[in-house]
Amino acid sequence: MEIDEVKKILPKPDVDCLIEKGYEFEVNQLDGNIHVIIDAFGFPAYSPNQASILLILPAGYPNAKPDMFWTYPDVKLKDGRWPAACEVHQDFHGKSWQRWSRHSPAPWRPGVDCLRNYLTMVIREIGKGI
Protein backbone atom coordinates (compact mmCIF):
# COMPACT_ATOMS: atom_id res chain seq x y z
CA MET A 1 0.00 0.00 0.00
CA GLU A 2 1.31 3.42 -0.92
CA ILE A 3 1.96 5.98 1.83
CA ASP A 4 -0.87 8.21 0.58
CA GLU A 5 -3.27 5.27 1.00
CA VAL A 6 -1.88 4.54 4.49
CA LYS A 7 -2.52 8.18 5.48
CA LYS A 8 -6.21 7.63 4.70
CA ILE A 9 -6.27 4.89 7.36
CA LEU A 10 -3.76 6.05 9.99
CA PRO A 11 -3.39 9.57 11.36
CA LYS A 12 -0.47 11.45 9.80
CA PRO A 13 1.58 11.59 13.06
CA ASP A 14 1.40 7.77 13.24
CA VAL A 15 2.57 7.35 9.65
CA ASP A 16 5.34 9.89 10.28
CA CYS A 17 6.43 7.94 13.40
CA LEU A 18 6.69 4.65 11.50
CA ILE A 19 8.68 6.28 8.70
CA GLU A 20 10.91 8.22 11.12
CA LYS A 21 11.82 5.01 12.97
CA GLY A 22 12.73 3.38 9.66
CA TYR A 23 10.24 0.52 10.02
CA GLU A 24 9.14 -1.55 7.08
CA PHE A 25 5.42 -1.80 7.65
CA GLU A 26 2.05 -2.48 6.15
CA VAL A 27 -1.37 -1.28 7.21
CA ASN A 28 -4.68 -3.11 6.74
CA GLN A 29 -8.22 -2.71 7.94
CA LEU A 30 -10.01 -5.76 9.33
CA ASP A 31 -13.35 -5.92 11.17
CA GLY A 32 -13.29 -2.18 11.91
CA ASN A 33 -9.79 -2.33 13.37
CA ILE A 34 -6.52 -1.09 11.89
CA HIS A 35 -3.75 -3.67 11.68
CA VAL A 36 -0.19 -2.36 11.58
CA ILE A 37 2.41 -5.03 10.79
CA ILE A 38 6.04 -4.05 11.34
CA ASP A 39 8.67 -6.39 9.89
CA ALA A 40 12.04 -7.21 11.49
CA PHE A 41 11.09 -5.82 14.90
CA GLY A 42 13.87 -6.29 17.46
CA PHE A 43 13.62 -8.84 20.30
CA PRO A 44 17.15 -8.72 21.77
CA ALA A 45 16.45 -10.91 24.84
CA TYR A 46 14.54 -13.54 22.86
CA SER A 47 14.90 -16.11 20.11
CA PRO A 48 14.62 -15.29 17.30
CA ASN A 49 15.91 -11.78 17.89
CA GLN A 50 13.67 -10.36 15.16
CA ALA A 51 10.05 -11.04 14.23
CA SER A 52 7.11 -9.32 12.63
CA ILE A 53 4.91 -7.54 15.12
CA LEU A 54 1.19 -6.91 14.72
CA LEU A 55 -0.44 -3.94 16.43
CA ILE A 56 -4.22 -3.88 16.38
CA LEU A 57 -5.65 -0.39 16.72
CA PRO A 58 -9.30 -0.67 17.76
CA ALA A 59 -12.28 0.95 16.10
CA GLY A 60 -12.40 4.50 17.34
CA TYR A 61 -8.61 4.87 17.37
CA PRO A 62 -6.97 7.33 18.07
CA ASN A 63 -9.57 7.99 20.75
CA ALA A 64 -9.67 4.31 21.74
CA LYS A 65 -6.74 2.63 23.54
CA PRO A 66 -4.83 -0.20 21.81
CA ASP A 67 -4.16 -3.33 23.85
CA MET A 68 -1.70 -6.24 23.49
CA PHE A 69 0.47 -7.08 20.49
CA TRP A 70 1.22 -10.16 18.40
CA THR A 71 4.34 -11.69 16.83
CA TYR A 72 5.12 -13.96 13.90
CA PRO A 73 6.91 -16.28 14.04
CA ASP A 74 6.76 -17.35 17.68
CA VAL A 75 9.23 -15.64 19.97
CA LYS A 76 10.58 -17.46 23.02
CA LEU A 77 13.01 -16.72 25.79
CA LYS A 78 16.63 -17.66 25.04
CA ASP A 79 16.22 -20.79 27.22
CA GLY A 80 13.29 -21.97 25.07
CA ARG A 81 10.48 -21.10 27.50
CA TRP A 82 7.45 -19.06 26.50
CA PRO A 83 7.52 -15.45 27.64
CA ALA A 84 4.95 -14.68 30.34
CA ALA A 85 1.36 -14.58 29.04
CA CYS A 86 2.36 -15.41 25.45
CA GLU A 87 1.05 -18.94 24.88
CA VAL A 88 -2.16 -18.01 23.02
CA HIS A 89 -2.24 -17.80 19.22
CA GLN A 90 -4.72 -16.07 16.93
CA ASP A 91 -5.10 -16.23 13.17
CA PHE A 92 -4.71 -13.02 11.19
CA HIS A 93 -3.73 -12.52 7.57
CA GLY A 94 -3.32 -16.26 6.96
CA LYS A 95 -0.84 -16.77 9.83
CA SER A 96 -0.99 -17.95 13.43
CA TRP A 97 0.23 -14.99 15.49
CA GLN A 98 1.56 -15.31 19.05
CA ARG A 99 -0.40 -12.99 21.36
CA TRP A 100 1.54 -11.00 23.96
CA SER A 101 -0.96 -10.22 26.68
CA ARG A 102 0.50 -6.90 27.79
CA HIS A 103 -1.64 -4.06 29.09
CA SER A 104 -0.47 -0.53 29.80
CA PRO A 105 -1.65 0.61 33.23
CA ALA A 106 -1.61 4.24 32.10
CA PRO A 107 -4.93 5.69 30.97
CA TRP A 108 -5.18 6.52 27.28
CA ARG A 109 -5.35 10.25 26.62
CA PRO A 110 -7.46 10.86 23.49
CA GLY A 111 -5.98 13.63 21.40
CA VAL A 112 -2.58 13.23 23.09
CA ASP A 113 -1.57 9.57 22.94
CA CYS A 114 -0.79 7.96 19.62
CA LEU A 115 1.07 5.09 17.99
CA ARG A 116 4.38 6.53 19.24
CA ASN A 117 3.19 6.14 22.87
CA TYR A 118 1.87 2.65 22.22
CA LEU A 119 5.13 1.56 20.56
CA THR A 120 7.05 2.91 23.56
CA MET A 121 5.01 0.61 25.82
CA VAL A 122 5.56 -2.36 23.47
CA ILE A 123 9.32 -1.76 23.36
CA ARG A 124 9.45 -1.39 27.15
CA GLU A 125 7.61 -4.71 27.58
CA ILE A 126 9.89 -6.49 25.13
CA GLY A 127 12.88 -5.02 26.93
CA LYS A 128 11.85 -6.73 30.17
CA GLY A 129 12.83 -10.10 28.69
CA ILE A 130 10.18 -12.01 30.60
Side-chain angles (χ1 to χ4, degrees), residues 83-101:
C86 291
E87 301 85 9
V88 174
H89 288 75
Q90 293 178 280
D91 292 332
F92 298 107
H93 310 284
K95 298 177 183 175
S96 180
W97 292 79
Q98 176 186 7
R99 185 180 75 192
W100 292 61
S101 185

PDB file of all heavy atoms in Angstrom, residues 83-101:
ATOM      1  N   PRO A  83       7.589 -16.648  26.805  1.00  0.00           N
ATOM      2  CA  PRO A  83       7.520 -15.448  27.637  1.00  0.00           C
ATOM      3  C   PRO A  83       6.201 -15.473  28.426  1.00  0.00           C
ATOM      4  O   PRO A  83       5.242 -16.141  28.025  1.00  0.00           O
ATOM      5  CB  PRO A  83       7.530 -14.295  26.626  1.00  0.00           C
ATOM      6  CG  PRO A  83       8.097 -14.879  25.373  1.00  0.00           C
ATOM      7  CD  PRO A  83       7.686 -16.319  25.375  1.00  0.00           C
ATOM      8  N   ALA A  84       6.156 -14.734  29.506  1.00  0.00           N
ATOM      9  CA  ALA A  84       4.950 -14.676  30.337  1.00  0.00           C
ATOM     10  C   ALA A  84       3.744 -14.223  29.514  1.00  0.00           C
ATOM     11  O   ALA A  84       3.840 -13.261  28.745  1.00  0.00           O
ATOM     12  CB  ALA A  84       5.171 -13.722  31.506  1.00  0.00           C
ATOM     13  N   ALA A  85       2.635 -14.938  29.669  1.00  0.00           N
ATOM     14  CA  ALA A  85       1.361 -14.585  29.036  1.00  0.00           C
ATOM     15  C   ALA A  85       1.458 -14.473  27.513  1.00  0.00           C
ATOM     16  O   ALA A  85       0.911 -13.551  26.911  1.00  0.00           O
ATOM     17  CB  ALA A  85       0.800 -13.308  29.655  1.00  0.00           C
ATOM     18  N   CYS A  86       2.171 -15.436  26.906  1.00  0.00           N
ATOM     19  CA  CYS A  86       2.362 -15.409  25.447  1.00  0.00           C
ATOM     20  C   CYS A  86       2.074 -16.757  24.783  1.00  0.00           C
ATOM     21  O   CYS A  86       2.575 -17.032  23.698  1.00  0.00           O
ATOM     22  CB  CYS A  86       3.793 -14.988  25.114  1.00  0.00           C
ATOM     23  SG  CYS A  86       4.155 -13.289  25.502  1.00  0.00           S
ATOM     24  N   GLU A  87       1.286 -17.601  25.418  1.00  0.00           N
ATOM     25  CA  GLU A  87       1.054 -18.936  24.879  1.00  0.00           C
ATOM     26  C   GLU A  87      -0.106 -19.006  23.881  1.00  0.00           C
ATOM     27  O   GLU A  87      -0.224 -19.959  23.132  1.00  0.00           O
ATOM     28  CB  GLU A  87       0.773 -19.938  26.013  1.00  0.00           C
ATOM     29  CG  GLU A  87       1.882 -20.067  27.023  1.00  0.00           C
ATOM     30  CD  GLU A  87       1.823 -19.011  28.129  1.00  0.00           C
ATOM     31  OE1 GLU A  87       0.824 -18.271  28.213  1.00  0.00           O
ATOM     32  OE2 GLU A  87       2.788 -18.912  28.896  1.00  0.00           O
ATOM     33  N   VAL A  88      -0.965 -18.003  23.873  1.00  0.00           N
ATOM     34  CA  VAL A  88      -2.160 -18.008  23.022  1.00  0.00           C
ATOM     35  C   VAL A  88      -1.791 -17.558  21.614  1.00  0.00           C
ATOM     36  O   VAL A  88      -0.949 -16.680  21.427  1.00  0.00           O
ATOM     37  CB  VAL A  88      -3.256 -17.093  23.620  1.00  0.00           C
ATOM     38  CG1 VAL A  88      -4.443 -16.953  22.689  1.00  0.00           C
ATOM     39  CG2 VAL A  88      -3.693 -17.625  24.976  1.00  0.00           C
ATOM     40  N   HIS A  89      -2.433 -18.174  20.621  1.00  0.00           N
ATOM     41  CA  HIS A  89      -2.238 -17.804  19.222  1.00  0.00           C
ATOM     42  C   HIS A  89      -3.577 -17.423  18.606  1.00  0.00           C
ATOM     43  O   HIS A  89      -4.613 -17.974  18.981  1.00  0.00           O
ATOM     44  CB  HIS A  89      -1.611 -18.961  18.447  1.00  0.00           C
ATOM     45  CG  HIS A  89      -0.182 -19.176  18.789  1.00  0.00           C
ATOM     46  ND1 HIS A  89       0.237 -19.757  19.975  1.00  0.00           N
ATOM     47  CD2 HIS A  89       0.938 -18.869  18.107  1.00  0.00           C
ATOM     48  CE1 HIS A  89       1.552 -19.802  20.006  1.00  0.00           C
ATOM     49  NE2 HIS A  89       2.007 -19.274  18.877  1.00  0.00           N
ATOM     50  N   GLN A  90      -3.528 -16.497  17.659  1.00  0.00           N
ATOM     51  CA  GLN A  90      -4.715 -16.071  16.934  1.00  0.00           C
ATOM     52  C   GLN A  90      -4.362 -15.946  15.457  1.00  0.00           C
ATOM     53  O   GLN A  90      -3.235 -15.557  15.110  1.00  0.00           O
ATOM     54  CB  GLN A  90      -5.220 -14.726  17.466  1.00  0.00           C
ATOM     55  CG  GLN A  90      -5.753 -14.812  18.881  1.00  0.00           C
ATOM     56  CD  GLN A  90      -6.193 -13.460  19.406  1.00  0.00           C
ATOM     57  OE1 GLN A  90      -5.362 -12.678  19.835  1.00  0.00           O
ATOM     58  NE2 GLN A  90      -7.493 -13.204  19.373  1.00  0.00           N
ATOM     59  N   ASP A  91      -5.320 -16.281  14.609  1.00  0.00           N
ATOM     60  CA  ASP A  91      -5.101 -16.231  13.169  1.00  0.00           C
ATOM     61  C   ASP A  91      -5.476 -14.864  12.601  1.00  0.00           C
ATOM     62  O   ASP A  91      -6.590 -14.384  12.813  1.00  0.00           O
ATOM     63  CB  ASP A  91      -5.919 -17.314  12.465  1.00  0.00           C
ATOM     64  CG  ASP A  91      -5.426 -18.707  12.780  1.00  0.00           C
ATOM     65  OD1 ASP A  91      -4.226 -18.861  13.073  1.00  0.00           O
ATOM     66  OD2 ASP A  91      -6.238 -19.653  12.728  1.00  0.00           O
ATOM     67  N   PHE A  92      -4.513 -14.269  11.915  1.00  0.00           N
ATOM     68  CA  PHE A  92      -4.714 -13.023  11.185  1.00  0.00           C
ATOM     69  C   PHE A  92      -3.893 -13.106   9.907  1.00  0.00           C
ATOM     70  O   PHE A  92      -2.759 -13.587   9.927  1.00  0.00           O
ATOM     71  CB  PHE A  92      -4.218 -11.799  11.991  1.00  0.00           C
ATOM     72  CG  PHE A  92      -4.921 -11.566  13.289  1.00  0.00           C
ATOM     73  CD1 PHE A  92      -4.285 -11.842  14.487  1.00  0.00           C
ATOM     74  CD2 PHE A  92      -6.209 -11.042  13.337  1.00  0.00           C
ATOM     75  CE1 PHE A  92      -4.906 -11.611  15.698  1.00  0.00           C
ATOM     76  CE2 PHE A  92      -6.841 -10.817  14.549  1.00  0.00           C
ATOM     77  CZ  PHE A  92      -6.190 -11.106  15.727  1.00  0.00           C
ATOM     78  N   HIS A  93      -4.453 -12.642   8.822  1.00  0.00           N
ATOM     79  CA  HIS A  93      -3.728 -12.523   7.567  1.00  0.00           C
ATOM     80  C   HIS A  93      -3.087 -13.841   7.150  1.00  0.00           C
ATOM     81  O   HIS A  93      -1.957 -13.876   6.652  1.00  0.00           O
ATOM     82  CB  HIS A  93      -2.681 -11.395   7.651  1.00  0.00           C
ATOM     83  CG  HIS A  93      -3.248 -10.117   8.170  1.00  0.00           C
ATOM     84  ND1 HIS A  93      -4.036  -9.290   7.408  1.00  0.00           N
ATOM     85  CD2 HIS A  93      -3.186  -9.544   9.407  1.00  0.00           C
ATOM     86  CE1 HIS A  93      -4.418  -8.257   8.134  1.00  0.00           C
ATOM     87  NE2 HIS A  93      -3.922  -8.388   9.356  1.00  0.00           N
ATOM     88  N   GLY A  94      -3.783 -14.948   7.389  1.00  0.00           N
ATOM     89  CA  GLY A  94      -3.319 -16.260   6.959  1.00  0.00           C
ATOM     90  C   GLY A  94      -2.181 -16.846   7.781  1.00  0.00           C
ATOM     91  O   GLY A  94      -1.543 -17.804   7.356  1.00  0.00           O
ATOM     92  N   LYS A  95      -1.916 -16.284   8.965  1.00  0.00           N
ATOM     93  CA  LYS A  95      -0.837 -16.771   9.828  1.00  0.00           C
ATOM     94  C   LYS A  95      -1.349 -16.924  11.259  1.00  0.00           C
ATOM     95  O   LYS A  95      -2.283 -16.228  11.663  1.00  0.00           O
ATOM     96  CB  LYS A  95       0.347 -15.797   9.838  1.00  0.00           C
ATOM     97  CG  LYS A  95       1.001 -15.589   8.501  1.00  0.00           C
ATOM     98  CD  LYS A  95       2.098 -14.552   8.611  1.00  0.00           C
ATOM     99  CE  LYS A  95       2.715 -14.291   7.247  1.00  0.00           C
ATOM    100  NZ  LYS A  95       3.700 -13.210   7.301  1.00  0.00           N
ATOM    101  N   SER A  96      -0.696 -17.782  12.012  1.00  0.00           N
ATOM    102  CA  SER A  96      -0.991 -17.945  13.429  1.00  0.00           C
ATOM    103  C   SER A  96      -0.038 -17.054  14.219  1.00  0.00           C
ATOM    104  O   SER A  96       1.161 -17.326  14.292  1.00  0.00           O
ATOM    105  CB  SER A  96      -0.824 -19.410  13.839  1.00  0.00           C
ATOM    106  OG  SER A  96      -1.099 -19.569  15.217  1.00  0.00           O
ATOM    107  N   TRP A  97      -0.571 -15.982  14.786  1.00  0.00           N
ATOM    108  CA  TRP A  97       0.225 -14.986  15.495  1.00  0.00           C
ATOM    109  C   TRP A  97       0.241 -15.274  16.993  1.00  0.00           C
ATOM    110  O   TRP A  97      -0.801 -15.594  17.582  1.00  0.00           O
ATOM    111  CB  TRP A  97      -0.348 -13.593  15.268  1.00  0.00           C
ATOM    112  CG  TRP A  97      -0.203 -13.092  13.865  1.00  0.00           C
ATOM    113  CD1 TRP A  97      -0.979 -13.419  12.788  1.00  0.00           C
ATOM    114  CD2 TRP A  97       0.773 -12.175  13.374  1.00  0.00           C
ATOM    115  NE1 TRP A  97      -0.538 -12.754  11.673  1.00  0.00           N
ATOM    116  CE2 TRP A  97       0.535 -11.985  12.006  1.00  0.00           C
ATOM    117  CE3 TRP A  97       1.816 -11.487  13.980  1.00  0.00           C
ATOM    118  CZ2 TRP A  97       1.298 -11.141  11.222  1.00  0.00           C
ATOM    119  CZ3 TRP A  97       2.591 -10.639  13.200  1.00  0.00           C
ATOM    120  CH2 TRP A  97       2.329 -10.469  11.835  1.00  0.00           C
ATOM    121  N   GLN A  98       1.382 -15.143  17.611  1.00  0.00           N
ATOM    122  CA  GLN A  98       1.558 -15.307  19.054  1.00  0.00           C
ATOM    123  C   GLN A  98       1.096 -14.023  19.745  1.00  0.00           C
ATOM    124  O   GLN A  98       1.591 -12.938  19.446  1.00  0.00           O
ATOM    125  CB  GLN A  98       3.029 -15.572  19.350  1.00  0.00           C
ATOM    126  CG  GLN A  98       3.382 -15.673  20.810  1.00  0.00           C
ATOM    127  CD  GLN A  98       4.895 -15.785  21.011  1.00  0.00           C
ATOM    128  OE1 GLN A  98       5.679 -15.651  20.071  1.00  0.00           O
ATOM    129  NE2 GLN A  98       5.301 -16.023  22.231  1.00  0.00           N
ATOM    130  N   ARG A  99       0.134 -14.171  20.662  1.00  0.00           N
ATOM    131  CA  ARG A  99      -0.402 -12.994  21.357  1.00  0.00           C
ATOM    132  C   ARG A  99       0.399 -12.712  22.628  1.00  0.00           C
ATOM    133  O   ARG A  99       0.611 -13.582  23.453  1.00  0.00           O
ATOM    134  CB  ARG A  99      -1.862 -13.208  21.730  1.00  0.00           C
ATOM    135  CG  ARG A  99      -2.481 -11.953  22.345  1.00  0.00           C
ATOM    136  CD  ARG A  99      -3.901 -12.166  22.714  1.00  0.00           C
ATOM    137  NE  ARG A  99      -3.946 -12.982  23.930  1.00  0.00           N
ATOM    138  CZ  ARG A  99      -5.050 -13.551  24.405  1.00  0.00           C
ATOM    139  NH1 ARG A  99      -6.184 -13.422  23.759  1.00  0.00           N
ATOM    140  NH2 ARG A  99      -5.003 -14.261  25.510  1.00  0.00           N
ATOM    141  N   TRP A 100       0.849 -11.482  22.768  1.00  0.00           N
ATOM    142  CA  TRP A 100       1.543 -11.001  23.961  1.00  0.00           C
ATOM    143  C   TRP A 100       0.514 -10.227  24.772  1.00  0.00           C
ATOM    144  O   TRP A 100       0.133  -9.126  24.400  1.00  0.00           O
ATOM    145  CB  TRP A 100       2.717 -10.110  23.576  1.00  0.00           C
ATOM    146  CG  TRP A 100       3.831 -10.838  22.899  1.00  0.00           C
ATOM    147  CD1 TRP A 100       3.774 -11.530  21.724  1.00  0.00           C
ATOM    148  CD2 TRP A 100       5.173 -10.956  23.367  1.00  0.00           C
ATOM    149  NE1 TRP A 100       4.998 -12.063  21.430  1.00  0.00           N
ATOM    150  CE2 TRP A 100       5.881 -11.721  22.423  1.00  0.00           C
ATOM    151  CE3 TRP A 100       5.838 -10.466  24.488  1.00  0.00           C
ATOM    152  CZ2 TRP A 100       7.223 -12.028  22.576  1.00  0.00           C
ATOM    153  CZ3 TRP A 100       7.183 -10.768  24.641  1.00  0.00           C
ATOM    154  CH2 TRP A 100       7.859 -11.546  23.688  1.00  0.00           C
ATOM    155  N   SER A 101       0.063 -10.834  25.851  1.00  0.00           N
ATOM    156  CA  SER A 101      -0.956 -10.217  26.685  1.00  0.00           C
ATOM    157  C   SER A 101      -0.288  -9.186  27.599  1.00  0.00           C
ATOM    158  O   SER A 101       0.095  -9.472  28.724  1.00  0.00           O
ATOM    159  CB  SER A 101      -1.680 -11.284  27.508  1.00  0.00           C
ATOM    160  OG  SER A 101      -2.728 -10.705  28.231  1.00  0.00           O
TER     161      SER A 101
END
